[in-house]
Amino acid sequence: MIKIYKSTENGLIQLDDFIPNCWINVVDPTPDEIERLSVEGIPMDFITYPLDLDERARTEREDDGKMLILIRIPYYQGPKADAPYITIPLGIILTDQYIITVCRWQTDIIREFESGRVKGLSTAKRIRFVLRILLSNASKFLAYLREINRNVEQTEDRLQQSQQNKEVLELLQYQKSLVYFTTALKANELLLERLQRTQLFRMYPDDEDLLEDVITENQQAIEMVNISSNILSSMMDAFASIISNNLNVVMKILASVTILVSLPSMITSFYGMNVDLPLQENPIAWEFILGVCLFMVGVALFIFARKRWF
C-alpha cells in the first residue's frame, strides 16, 4: 500500500501521484508498488531492507545523496501474543525530492502522522520531518513502557491471590517485551549518535536542538526499560521462591497428617491379627486401645506444634 501526502496551509492532504516535497508512506508493498518506487529512482535495497523484521538500526547512503535511516520502533501485537510488545524496523528514505517511510506493518506512529494531529508538520522540511518521527518513536517507547508496567502491576496483584502458572507465564511475556525494547533502544541510541555527527542534521539550530531532545528521550526510555526489567526479574525470582516455599509447607502438612493417621492404624492393625493378644479378654480393652491411640496422636501433635509443622 502506498499513500502520498503533502502539507499545505490547511493541513496534510492526500495525493494521487508523486510530486516534489511530498511524503510517501509505504506499508507492506506489493511487487508492482516496489517497481513503481524503483522507477522514481529509489534504490531497491532501501525499499526491501525495512520489510525484513530482523533488520538492525543503521544508516546507509548512496553516492547520489539518497539516504536510508533504519530504526526500530515498538509494535503492539495484542495480549494473546507470545510477546505482547515487540519491535519492528521502520525505514526512512531521504531524496532530494521525497521523504519515504517504509514498514512491514501499519503502526501507531505513522497513523498519528497520517491523521494530521502532529502540529507544525511540513513534508518540505525533510530533516525536521525525520526528527519528528524519531521523537515520536522515543515517546511511543515510553508510552508502551508505562502500559507494560501497569499490566505487570495488575498481574502481580492477581498472582498474589492465585499463584497459578497463568500469571507467571504472563509476566514472562512482558519480560520478553522488555528484552526487545532494550535491544532496540540501544541500537537506536547508536544510530542517533551517528546522526548527531552528520552535518546534514546540524545545518539548522532548531534541527540540532530537536535531535538533542530525541537523544534525551531515547536515553530516558533506556533507563526506564532497564529499571522495569530489573524489577520484573527480581519479582519473578521472588514469586518463584514463594511458590516453592508454599509447596514445601503443603508437603510438610501432608507428611504430618500422614504420620498422625498412621499411628492409630499401626496399633489397631496389631489387634486385628487372628492370634492371642494381651487384654483380648478384658472388657475395657477397646477403650484402653483407643486411649493409647489418642495419647500417641496427642504426643505427635505436641511435637509437630513445637517444630511449627502446622
Side-chain angles (χ1 to χ4, degrees):
M1 178 181 65
I2 294 179
K3 292 183 179 180
I4 307 170
Y5 299 95
K6 183 176 176 57
S7 57
T8 63
E9 295 180 356
N10 298 325
L12 200 66
I13 61 173
Q14 187 169 352
L15 306 174
D16 295 328
D17 202 358
F18 303 147
I19 63 172
N21 297 325
C22 69
W23 166 37
I24 305 172
N25 181 36
V26 182
V27 179
D28 194 17
T30 63
D32 293 338
E33 291 173 338
I34 295 177
E35 182 65 26
R36 180 186 178 187
L37 293 172
S38 299
V39 171
E40 294 294 326
I42 310 301
M44 184 73 70
D45 292 340
F46 285 9
I47 304 172
T48 57
Y49 283 155
L51 302 179
D52 184 0
L53 297 180
D54 297 325
E55 283 291 338
R56 58 182 178 86
R58 66 182 188 276
T59 61
E60 290 190 12
R61 192 163 188 168
E62 294 287 323
D63 296 336
D64 56 0
K66 296 183 178 65
M67 184 177 184
L68 169 66
I69 301 174
L70 195 61
I71 62 173
R72 302 288 301 188
I73 64 174
Y75 182 79
Y76 179 60
Q77 296 191 112
K80 296 183 179 180
D82 185 52
Y85 298 88
I86 61 172
T87 61
I88 60 176
L90 171 66
I92 306 173
I93 305 172
L94 294 175
T95 70
D96 56 350
Q97 290 186 331
Y98 313 126
I99 179 170
I100 306 168
T101 56
V102 184
C103 191
R104 181 72 172 272
W105 298 324
Q106 184 68 277
T107 64
D108 293 339
I109 297 174
I110 299 301
R111 289 193 189 99
E112 184 178 0
F113 278 75
E114 287 180 328
S115 65
R117 294 194 299 266
V118 181
K119 296 181 180 179
L121 186 66
S122 175
T123 57
K125 300 178 179 179
R126 291 184 288 276
I127 301 300
R128 184 72 55 84
F129 193 96
V130 172
L131 293 174
R132 297 292 293 271
I133 292 178
L134 295 177
L135 182 61
S136 178
N137 182 46
S139 301
K140 186 61 67 174
F141 269 109
L142 291 172
Y144 280 168
L145 183 58
R146 285 190 289 268
E147 292 182 9
I148 291 176
N149 291 335
R150 183 169 57 253
N151 293 333
V152 167
E153 290 178 358
Q154 295 175 355
T155 306
E156 180 185 359
D157 294 337
R158 297 198 308 270
L159 184 58
Q160 290 177 353
Q161 301 296 328
S162 63
Q163 295 181 352
Q164 298 295 319
N165 291 336
K166 177 182 178 182
E167 283 74 19
V168 176
L169 293 175
E170 188 172 345
L171 290 178
L172 179 60
Q173 292 176 346
Y174 289 118
Q175 191 174 37
K176 290 181 180 179
S177 297
L178 291 177
V179 172
Y180 290 136
F181 277 18
T182 301
T183 305
L185 286 169
K186 289 182 178 179
N188 289 347
E189 183 182 29
L190 297 176
L191 171 66
L192 294 175
E193 291 176 354
R194 183 173 182 179
L195 293 180
Q196 195 176 27
R197 296 191 297 267
T198 304
Q199 184 64 33
L200 185 62
F201 286 82
R202 294 188 300 174
M203 295 178 60
Y204 303 100
D206 291 342
D207 292 346
E208 192 171 359
D209 292 340
L210 186 56
L211 181 56
E212 290 287 346
D213 293 339
V214 174
I215 294 175
T216 301
E217 286 287 311
N218 193 78
Q219 290 175 345
Q220 181 182 356
I222 291 175
E223 293 176 0
M224 290 187 62
V225 167
N226 289 334
I227 292 173
S228 299
S229 181
N230 292 334
I231 291 175
L232 183 55
S233 297
S234 301
M235 183 192 308
M236 292 188 65
D237 292 339
F239 277 117
S241 300
I242 292 173
I243 293 174
S244 178
N245 182 67
N246 290 341
L247 178 61
N248 292 336
V249 170
V250 171
M251 296 302 296
K252 187 187 296 182
I253 293 175
L254 291 177
S256 302
V257 172
T258 302
I259 294 173
L260 294 177
V261 172
S262 64
L263 290 176
S265 299
M266 181 178 62
I267 297 174
T268 54
S269 62
F270 280 114
Y271 276 86
M273 294 186 295
N274 191 18
V275 295
D276 292 336
L277 297 169
L279 303 176
Q280 64 180 5
E281 302 296 339
N282 195 317
I284 62 170
W286 184 85
E287 290 82 355
F288 178 79
I289 295 172
L290 180 60
V292 172
C293 293
L294 294 176
F295 174 76
M296 295 183 67
V297 170
V299 171
L301 279 173
F302 176 77
I303 295 174
F304 293 160
R306 287 291 298 271
K307 293 182 176 293
R308 296 182 179 180
W309 281 22
F310 288 102

